[in-house]
């Protein structure tokens, strides 16, 4: 698989419809996943510097996963508990999230997104989707469709492969939740 023929950039040439062995595909995909991961990491670093980045992460988690304790939220988002506490306090003051007593341990509190919080989350999501739509606008419609189809297939296969291998000792249900198809 020649690196120059892996994709075509609207050069007017016919799209590449070549084939690749599993080994060639593994190497090519491995390189592109590393590149993609670096680009995503750079974007996340940039987003951390933007106003409200931590809030977006926490709010998304509460909307998608449901209510949870601040300590669990910190662990799942890889944020420091003091950072989460500050963000939670701010979001509670603005009515984006609320606390309720934890029924399993009345000393603790569960956090959940309010209707206002869900609306703010949806606005964040729509902004992200609009940015991606702008990026993909020049692509042929079939390429956009195939990108979604193939990314979904790759993610599904990664989850299935991870569940069957248990290489890292993670419980299968936890792996499935981490890789579950969600509408973030």
């Amino acid at each position: 698989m020649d690196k120059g023929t892996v994709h075509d950039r609207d050069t007017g040439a016919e799209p590449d419809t070549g084939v690749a062995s599993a080994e060639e595909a593994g190497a090519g995909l491995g390189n592109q996943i590393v590149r993609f991961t670096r680009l995503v990491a750079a974007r996340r670093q940039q987003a951390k510097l933007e106003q409200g980045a931590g809030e977006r992460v926490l709010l998304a988690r509460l909307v998608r996963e449901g209510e949870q304790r601040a300590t669990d939220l910190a662990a799942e988002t890889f944020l420091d508990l003091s950072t989460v506490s500050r963000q939670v306090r701010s979001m509670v003051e603005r009515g984006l999230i609320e606390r309720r007593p934890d029924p399993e341990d009345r000393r603790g509190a569960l956090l959940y997104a309010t209707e206002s919080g869900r609306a703010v989350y949806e606005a964040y999501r729509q902004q992200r989707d609009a940015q991606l739509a702008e990026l993909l606008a020049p692509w042929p419609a079939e390429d956009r469709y195939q990108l979604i189809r193939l990314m979904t297939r790759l993610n599904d296969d990664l989850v299935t492969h991870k569940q069957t291998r248990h290489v890292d000792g993670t419980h299968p249900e936890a792996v499935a939740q981490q890789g579950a198809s969600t509408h973030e």
Side-chain angles (χ1 to χ4, degrees):
M1 180 164 66
D2 183 323
K3 183 177 179 181
T5 62
V6 173
H7 67 87
D8 102 348
R9 282 216 160 267
D10 198 48
T11 61
E14 286 295 315
D16 184 6
T17 57
V19 296
S21 68
E23 292 77 16
E24 290 169 328
L29 182 60
N31 289 335
Q32 291 306 316
I33 286 175
V34 167
R35 181 176 179 217
F36 183 74
T37 302
R38 288 180 180 155
L39 290 167
V40 168
R43 175 64 186 115
R44 282 189 176 158
Q45 185 61 35
Q46 179 186 0
K48 283 181 184 178
L49 303 175
E50 295 172 4
Q51 186 72 16
E55 175 181 293
R56 284 192 300 271
V57 170
L58 299 174
L59 198 51
R61 187 60 120 182
L62 289 172
V63 168
R64 289 192 332 261
E65 305 296 327
E67 62 186 17
Q68 52 191 288
R69 290 173 155 245
T71 52
D72 296 331
L73 212 54
E76 291 177 13
T77 58
F78 305 105
L79 294 172
D80 184 77
L81 184 56
S82 64
T83 300
V84 170
S85 295
R86 280 192 304 276
Q87 293 290 336
V88 164
R89 190 170 29 259
S90 172
M91 288 190 292
V92 166
E93 289 171 1
R94 294 183 334 218
L96 301 178
I97 63 174
E98 291 182 356
R99 291 183 177 98
R100 74 172 186 86
D102 185 339
E104 294 178 15
D105 180 359
R106 302 299 263 173
R107 297 170 295 171
L110 293 174
L111 305 168
Y112 64 94
T114 63
E115 286 305 313
S116 294
R118 289 178 182 282
V120 167
Y121 164 76
E122 188 57 33
Y124 288 147
R125 197 167 79 116
Q126 287 175 2
Q127 179 184 15
R128 179 210 58 201
D129 292 353
Q131 290 171 342
L132 288 171
E134 182 180 345
L135 175 74
L136 296 172
W139 289 34
E142 185 179 327
D143 286 358
R144 292 189 298 258
Y145 174 81
Q146 291 300 332
L147 175 65
I148 295 165
R149 184 183 72 78
L150 293 170
M151 284 293 293
T152 301
R153 181 177 175 185
L154 178 63
N155 285 331
D156 291 347
D157 287 351
L158 286 169
V159 168
T160 301
H161 183 72
K162 186 79 164 178
Q163 287 175 332
T164 58
R165 295 215 32 216
H166 309 295
V167 172
D168 63 3
T170 305
H171 198 272
E173 285 81 21
V175 172
Q177 288 174 348
Q178 288 171 357
S181 176
T182 60
H183 302 283
E184 298 179 22

